[in-house]
Amino acid sequence: MHHAPPKASTSLEECQQRAIHKIFAQVEYKRREVEERTRKQQQREQQQEEEEKEKEVSIRKFDQHWRQEGRVDKRVGNWRDFHNQPRSKKQRDKSL
């Protein structure tokens, strides 16, 4: 199939119309590019928010489980017991 050779006598109006169509096509292409970038950025932000929420829930569950086992009370109780033990005679002599 042969392409027709371009007419040497294309009018100014036809050239202007082609230029206008080309500009509109470029503008539309840029608009779609920007729209796509915006959509991808929103997806990244949403994914990041979901990951942060999951991390927060995981931390909260771990903390809750840790507290349910009574570890905090045991540790505080152990410290209080240790702290309230009578000092040995050597330690009392050193502090005087």
Side-chain angles (χ1 to χ4, degrees), residues 31-60:
R31 183 191 68 80
R32 288 182 185 184
E33 265 188 343
V34 168
E35 193 175 80
E36 180 69 14
R37 271 190 256 129
T38 302
R39 187 180 62 78
K40 285 184 178 183
Q41 177 66 26
Q42 287 173 345
Q43 283 179 339
R44 280 193 299 270
E45 289 173 358
Q46 184 178 5
Q47 184 179 3
Q48 188 176 10
E49 287 176 11
E50 288 173 3
E51 288 173 357
E52 287 175 7
K53 285 179 184 178
E54 288 175 8
K55 184 178 178 182
E56 192 175 302
V57 167
S58 174
I59 290 171
R60 203 175 311 129

Side-chain angles (χ1 to χ4, degrees), residues 37-95:
R37 271 190 256 129
T38 302
R39 187 180 62 78
K40 285 184 178 183
Q41 177 66 26
Q42 287 173 345
Q43 283 179 339
R44 280 193 299 270
E45 289 173 358
Q46 184 178 5
Q47 184 179 3
Q48 188 176 10
E49 287 176 11
E50 288 173 3
E51 288 173 357
E52 287 175 7
K53 285 179 184 178
E54 288 175 8
K55 184 178 178 182
E56 192 175 302
V57 167
S58 174
I59 290 171
R60 203 175 311 129
K61 282 182 180 180
F62 176 81
D63 190 49
Q64 212 172 29
H65 179 70
W66 194 79
R67 289 178 186 277
Q68 282 179 349
E69 291 182 2
R71 292 178 181 167
V72 173
D73 295 334
K74 287 179 187 175
R75 290 180 69 190
V76 170
N78 289 342
W79 172 250
R80 287 183 181 145
D81 292 345
F82 172 77
H83 190 63
N84 290 332
Q85 285 179 354
R87 291 187 192 177
S88 68
K89 190 173 183 180
K90 289 181 184 178
Q91 288 176 338
R92 273 187 260 140
D93 291 341
K94 286 182 183 177
S95 64

